[in-house]
Amino acid sequence: MQLLKHKLQSWVRHKIWVWLERRQPPVSQLTLRQNILYVLPSKYGISLFALAAILYLLGSNYQNNLILLLSFLLIGLLLLAIILAFKNLHGLVLQSGETTAAFAGDMLSVQLHLANQRGRQLLEFSLNGEPQLFWTLPSEVMLQVDSSRRGFYRLPRFKIQSLYPFGLVRCWCYPALNQSYWVYPNPLQQQMQQHLPTGDGELQWSHLSPYQMGDALQRIDWKRLSRQPSQPVVKVFSQQGSELHQLVVPSLSGAALEQALSQICAQILHLSHRHLPYTLEVQGRLLTSEQLTTAQNAGGQSTVQPGLSSEELHRQRCLEALSLC
Amino acid sequence: MLANQASYPAVPSPVIWRLWLIQSLLLLLLAPAFNFWSLAIFALLLLAKLPQLLLSRPAWSLKLSNLLALTIVSALLLFARDLGVLHLMIHLLLLAAILRLLGFRQNDHADVQQLLWVQYFLFACCFILHQALGMALLVFMLLLLQLQSHYLAFAAPGSTFPYKSALKTSLIFVPLWLGLFLLFPRIAPLWALPGAKQAMTGLGDELNPGSIERLVESDELAFRVEFQSRLPQPDELYWRARIYDTFDGNSWRRRYNNDLADFSKIKHNSNLSFSYKIIVEPHQQRHLYSLGVPLKVNYPQRIDTDALLSSPSVLSQRASFQVQSVLTPVPDFPGAKNNTNLQLPPGNPKSRALAAQLAAEHKTPEQLVLAIGRYLREGGFRYSLNPPALSGDQIDMFLWQSKSGFCSHYAQTTTFLLRAAGVPARIVGGYLGGEWRDNQSYLEVTQRAAHAWVEYLHQGAWHKFDPTLQVAPERLFASLEDLLSAADLLRLEGNWLGRAGFAKQLLQQLEDLDYYWSRWVLGFDNEQQQSLLGSVKNRLLELAALDWWYYIKIILLLLTATLLSRLLWLRLTTAPPVISVWLVQELSPWLAKTPEQTVLQYLAALGHHSTLQQQSAVVAAHYQQLVFAGDIKAEKPLRAEVRQLKKLLKQQRR
C-alpha cells in the first residue's frame, strides 16, 4: 500500500515535471509573471477559513452582526493575502549567473542574479528539497547544487515560494534557468608522490618579455610597471630539467575509469600549481596549452572566463574534458 | 506538490508582548462571563508570563501547562457549572490561549498560528457579550492590534509594520469587507445556541404590588422603536409584554402560553395599523414587546394566542425585529380556558361585596368597567410610588385603608373586582409611552415607563382598560418624573445626570449614536439586505434606461476629471527646474552650452557670439547675485533680464 502510494506520488510528480518542461522551458532571464505563479491557501489559511465559516454560523445563529463582521473580516483577510502574496513574487527577475565549477564532493553553489527584488519578504528558494529562506532578498542568491557526480549539468528546476503576509496563502513557482555548472572528478591525493615530480627549485628566471594577452598576472614585473605604465613586462621562467608531462586517460570504464580520472585530476592540479607544462590525451584527442584557440572553437561547451591566463585556461579545459569523458 | 511547510524565522519578542497585551485586554472584556475566582486565576496566569517577558525566563514546559490545564478545567467543571455552556466555553478558550502563551516556543510557528486562531475566536465571544457602540469600537481597536501582530508574526524579523501601505490596502480592504457584510447571503438561525447567562431584568414572572415600583426606579433602556407608519398618539402607546392571570392572594403569576397564533387575517382599520422596528436590549428572558395585536413579525420571533411576541431563545444580546400591528382588542381563542380568568383565591370579603353591588347595578361589562373607574376616580385615591405596604386581604386594605398606590395596585384591584363580578379579566404588564428622540425619529422606552393595566373579555375580545388613568390621567402625556412628589423622585436613579443640562445633551447625543449603531449595524438583517439589493437593482435599471449619449458624456467627464487631476498632481509633485537649468534651457536655441562651461562662461560666450555683451553681462551679474551672494530677491529681476535678452536675440535673428 505504502509502495503504491509512493509510486503514484512519484508518477504524478514526474507528469507535472514533464508538463512544466513543456510549458515553461528554461530561459536565461525569467520574470515571474502571472502565468507561471501559482497561489493556493496554506494549511493555516484553510484553518482560518474554517474559523470564518464557524463564526458565520455562530453569527447567524446568535443573529449577531458583529460576529458576522468578524467572519467577513477573516474572509477579506484571506482574499487580501492572495493579492499580497502574489504581489510579493510578481515581477521578480531572475538571471542566470556565471558557469561555476567544483570538484565532486565539494560544496558547489550556483549564483543567480535578481533584479527588481526590493521590498519582497520571506522568499524561500528550494532546490532538491533543501529550502533556503531569505528574510529580504539580496541581489545575488547562491543555490547549492548536487555535486556528487562529475559531469556538465544544467541547473535543475527549482522552487520559489512565499507565505508572506499572514501565512494564509502560499504563492510559488518553478523557475528553470539556462544555467549550467561543471563537476570535475574528485582529485585523488594518495599516490601522488610516486608519479609526480617534486619540482622544487626547478623554475629559474630566464628573461623579460613584453606582456601579451593571457600571460599570468602574477608574473608581471610590477616594479617596472610603475616606471613604465604603458609597457607591461612579464618575467619568463625557463623550466630546466623538467620534461613535458604527458597525461593519458586510459580506455577503461566503470569504477576503474573513475579512479583513473581522479588520479589524473590530482596530477593536473599538482602540475598546474607548480607551473609545469603538461598535455592531456582524452579518447584520442590531445589537449596542449599551445592549441588553445583552435580547441576552444572545437570544444564548444567550455566557457572561457575573462582574466584567465593561458595556463589556467589549459587547466580548466583539461578538467572539463575529464568531467565529460 | 505541496511540499514541506516553509520554515519561518523565530517570532520576535515585540509580537509576544502584543499577544500578552491582547490577552489581558480580552480578559477584561470577557470579565462579565467570569466569576471572581476564575477571574483571579486567569489574571494570575497572565501575570506569570511577565517574568518570561521582562527577565527572559524560559517558557513553561508542556508538562506543566498540561497539568495546570487539567487542574483548572476540572475545577471549572466541578465548581463553575452554573456559569452555563457559553461562559465555560469562553473560559476554556481563554485558558488555552494563556497557557499556550506561557509555554510559547518562538521557533515553532505552529504555536503562534494556534494562538492567533484562538484569539480570533475570543474576539467573537467578546461580541456576544458586548454590542453597544463604545464597547464594539474598543473590541475592533483591539482587533487592529491583533491584525498587526498577525502581520508581524509572519514578516521578516526586524521589519516594522508598514502603516502607509496598510492604509492604502485598507482602501481596497474596507469596501471588500463591508461589501461582503452587506451582500453576502444570510441564513436563518439553524439552532438555538446557549446565550450568555446574566441576571434577568425587566418584567418578571410574578407581579405584585411593588414589583413595578422597583422597575421604575431604574433608568435603564428597555427597547427602542422606529415607526415606518404614522407616529402613534400617546394613548396608543401601550406596549404589551406579559399577561398575569393567576392570583394567589399576594401576587399574580404570569400565564404560560406556547400556542402559536396567526392574526394576519383579522379585519382592521388601516388607520389603526402600525409597522415598526423594535430594537430590544438583552433582558435574559424571552418575552418581547408589541402594540395591540401583532399581525406579522419576522422569523424566528413568534406570536402566541394571547397576541404576545416571544423569542425562541433567551434574549442575551441586542435583537431587532420588524412588527406589523393593529390596535384592536385581542380576539379570544375559543379553545382557551377562560375559567382561569375568573379564578380568585378566598378572602377580601368587602371587595367581593363591592363587586356584587356594582354587578347588580351594571349589566354589561363595559358599564361595569366604567363604574369601577368612577369609583376609583371619586374615591379619593392617590397615585404614589411609595405607598404603605399591604398585608392580609390586600385588595380590601387598598380599597378602604391605604387608598394610595402605583399602577400595579390599581390593575390588580380592578381585575379582582371584575373577576368577582363575573367578568373574565387579567393584568397586562408592559410599558406605557416612551420618550421621542432625535426629532421624533425614534422612541426610547426605559424601565421607567413600566406599567400594568387590565384586559377584560367582552364579546369575544379582550378590551384594554387602564385604571391608573382614572387616578392620574396626566400619566399619559407627562413623564413619570413630572407626576411624582419630591420624596418619590429621590428614589429614581440617574436623575442627577438629568439635572446638568450640558451632560444631559451630550448623553442624549451618545444615546442617539448608539441607537443608529443598533439600527443600521446590529439590526441589519435579511430583509434590509433584500431591500438594499432591490434598490441597487432599480438604480441599475434606471441607468440602463438612460440614453447612450449620457454614457458618453459621463465617460468624457470622467476622462477629463482624471486628466485634470493627473496634471494637477504632476504640477504639485514636480519641483520647478533649478534656475541655472532654466536659464540654459531658455537660451539654448541661440547657443548650446557645452558641459565643461560654467553658466557664467556660457553667458560670456553667448554675449560674444551674439554681440549682445551688455545684456548678457547684466544677466550674469544678476545670476551671480542670486547664486553666489544668496540674494533670493535677485531671482525676479534675473528672470526679467533673461526674457529681455531673449527678446533682443530674437530681434537680432530677424
Side-chain angles (χ1 to χ4, degrees), chain A residues 44 56 61-62 64-65 69 164, chain B residues 151 177 185 190 194 317 521 524:
Chain A
Y44 189 48
Y56 177 74
N61 273 328
Y62 274 114
N64 187 320
N65 275 344
L69 268 171
Y164 170 89
Chain B
Y151 174 86
W177 177 35
L190 299 175
Q317 54 181 7
V521 181
F524 184 81

Side-chain angles (χ1 to χ4, degrees), chain A residues 12-13 16-17 20 40-44 47-51 54-58 60-77 79-80 83-84 121-122 124 129 131 133 135-136 159 161 163-168 170 172 174, chain B residues 1-9 86 112-114 116-117 120-121 123-124 127-128 130-131 136 140 143 147 150-151 154-157 159 169 173 176-178 180-181 184-191 193-195 299-301 317 517 521-524:
Chain A
V12 168
R13 192 158 297 177
I16 291 177
W17 233 239
L20 274 173
L40 274 182
S42 65
K43 268 183 206 156
Y44 189 48
S47 75
L48 214 70
F49 181 79
L51 177 66
I54 293 172
L55 290 185
Y56 177 74
L57 283 178
L58 204 70
S60 298
N61 273 328
Y62 274 114
Q63 292 187 290
N64 187 320
N65 275 344
L66 295 177
I67 298 180
L68 285 181
L69 268 171
L70 183 62
S71 159
F72 293 133
L73 183 111
L74 292 181
I75 303 261
L77 202 64
L79 296 178
L80 191 70
I83 299 170
L84 292 180
Q121 283 194 36
L122 294 182
E124 191 192 59
L133 183 70
W135 295 356
T136 52
K159 179 170 159 187
Q161 75 164 4
L163 277 98
Y164 170 89
F166 302 117
L168 300 175
R170 178 198 312 274
W172 76 100
Y174 296 104
Chain B
M1 296 319 289
L2 295 174
N4 53 339
Q5 184 85 17
S7 49
Y8 281 105
L86 178 78
V112 74
Q113 290 183 357
Q114 288 165 13
L116 288 167
W117 199 95
Y120 279 121
F121 207 117
F123 276 100
F127 286 135
I128 297 178
H130 305 288
Q131 290 135 39
F140 272 114
L143 192 59
L147 285 175
H150 189 169
Y151 174 86
F154 289 87
S159 66
T169 315
F173 180 72
L176 178 78
W177 177 35
L178 297 183
L180 273 172
F181 175 69
F184 195 82
R186 277 138 187 275
I187 51 169
L190 299 175
W191 60 86
L193 283 170
Y299 185 81
Q301 276 73 21
Q317 54 181 7
W517 163 256
V521 181
L522 301 181
F524 184 81

Side-chain angles (χ1 to χ4, degrees), chain A residues 25-37:
Chain A
V27 285
S28 58
Q29 179 178 336
L30 182 68
T31 307
L32 302 190
R33 290 206 180 288
Q34 171 212 348
N35 54 349
I36 58 168
L37 284 173

Side-chain angles (χ1 to χ4, degrees), chain B residues 350-362:
Chain B
K350 283 163 88 179
S351 308
R352 283 174 194 269
L354 174 67
Q357 182 202 333
L358 287 173
E361 291 168 16
H362 306 281

Side-chain angles (χ1 to χ4, degrees), chain A residues 88-158:
Chain A
N88 196 30
L89 284 185
H90 184 251
L92 181 68
V93 182
L94 305 172
Q95 259 171 320
S96 47
E98 289 146 11
T99 306
T100 48
F103 298 100
D106 285 1
M107 293 266 277
L108 175 55
S109 296
V110 171
Q111 194 179 36
L112 298 182
H113 299 287
L114 304 184
N116 198 10
Q117 90 284 15
R118 274 157 181 266
R120 301 175 194 277
Q121 283 194 36
L122 294 182
L123 260 66
E124 191 192 59
F125 286 69
S126 51
L127 181 65
N128 301 327
E130 278 171 35
Q132 198 182 352
L133 183 70
F134 292 92
W135 295 356
T136 52
L137 279 185
S139 55
E140 264 109 36
V141 166
M142 306 294 278
L143 288 181
Q144 202 179 329
V145 291
D146 174 34
S147 59
S148 55
R149 289 171 62 83
R150 68 184 172 86
F152 179 66
Y153 295 105
R154 198 194 86 193
L155 175 67
R157 195 175 280 277
F158 57 100

Side-chain angles (χ1 to χ4, degrees), chain A residues 11 18 47 50 66 89 123 141 143 156 166 189 203 212 229 240 252 259 280:
Chain A
W11 181 79
V18 169
S47 75
L66 295 177
L89 284 185
L123 260 66
V141 166
L143 288 181
F166 302 117
Q189 304 285 335
L203 282 183
Q212 283 179 318
Q240 278 183 358
L252 295 167
Q259 178 82 9
L280 176 68

